[in-house]
Amino acid sequence: LGPAPRSARPFAYVDSTPQPSTPAALAGVRRGDALVRIGEAAHLRDVQGVLEGQRLLPVPALVIEASGGFVKKWIVPHSWDPDTPGSLLGCQLADSCPADLAEMHPAMADARERAAEA
């Protein structure tokens, strides 16, 4: 998709590396990915509902990668762990960028610019 538009505002970050064979890993989701949208979800509280409503169907995720790419990844939500059948994504999401990536993450550029101006 090219560079991320300045208007792209992530609502969540992938906080840890998805385990192999999870829906997130199979879609190429990586630690540090900044999620702008998953299906119609643009807030953490909406993600589970979107995934449940699209179980076994491809869901587009707009992502700003830590490497700088603005990409669409297709996630097929499904129950992948018998011990946690409600987990349809298979990765940990957080509302902030992992601390070790924040200084260089392209999604954090506006925050860095605002801090520099203050």
Side-chain angles (χ1 to χ4, degrees):
L1 298 174
R6 289 188 65 86
S7 61
R9 299 281 182 255
F11 70 90
Y13 294 82
V14 179
D15 199 35
S16 59
T17 301
Q19 295 178 11
S21 77
T22 63
L26 295 172
V29 173
R30 293 185 215 125
R31 180 177 179 270
D33 280 356
L35 304 175
V36 176
R37 187 171 292 279
I38 296 180
E40 294 301 314
H43 194 281
L44 273 172
R45 69 175 169 259
D46 301 325
V47 172
Q48 189 67 21
V50 166
L51 297 176
E52 287 173 356
Q54 298 293 311
R55 195 181 290 249
L56 300 178
L57 299 172
V59 177
L62 291 177
V63 174
I64 302 170
E65 297 177 315
S67 63
F70 183 55
V71 299
K72 185 183 292 185
K73 298 183 180 188
W74 292 90
I75 299 169
V76 179
H78 64 274
S79 183
W80 58 276
D81 183 352
D83 294 330
T84 55
S87 176
L88 302 176
L89 187 56
C91 67
Q92 182 69 38
L93 300 179
D95 61 1
S96 59
C97 186
D100 63 314
L101 299 177
E103 188 173 314
M104 59 167 242
H105 202 294
M108 300 295 294
D110 283 345
R112 287 191 300 272
E113 288 173 15
R114 285 191 302 273
E117 292 171 359

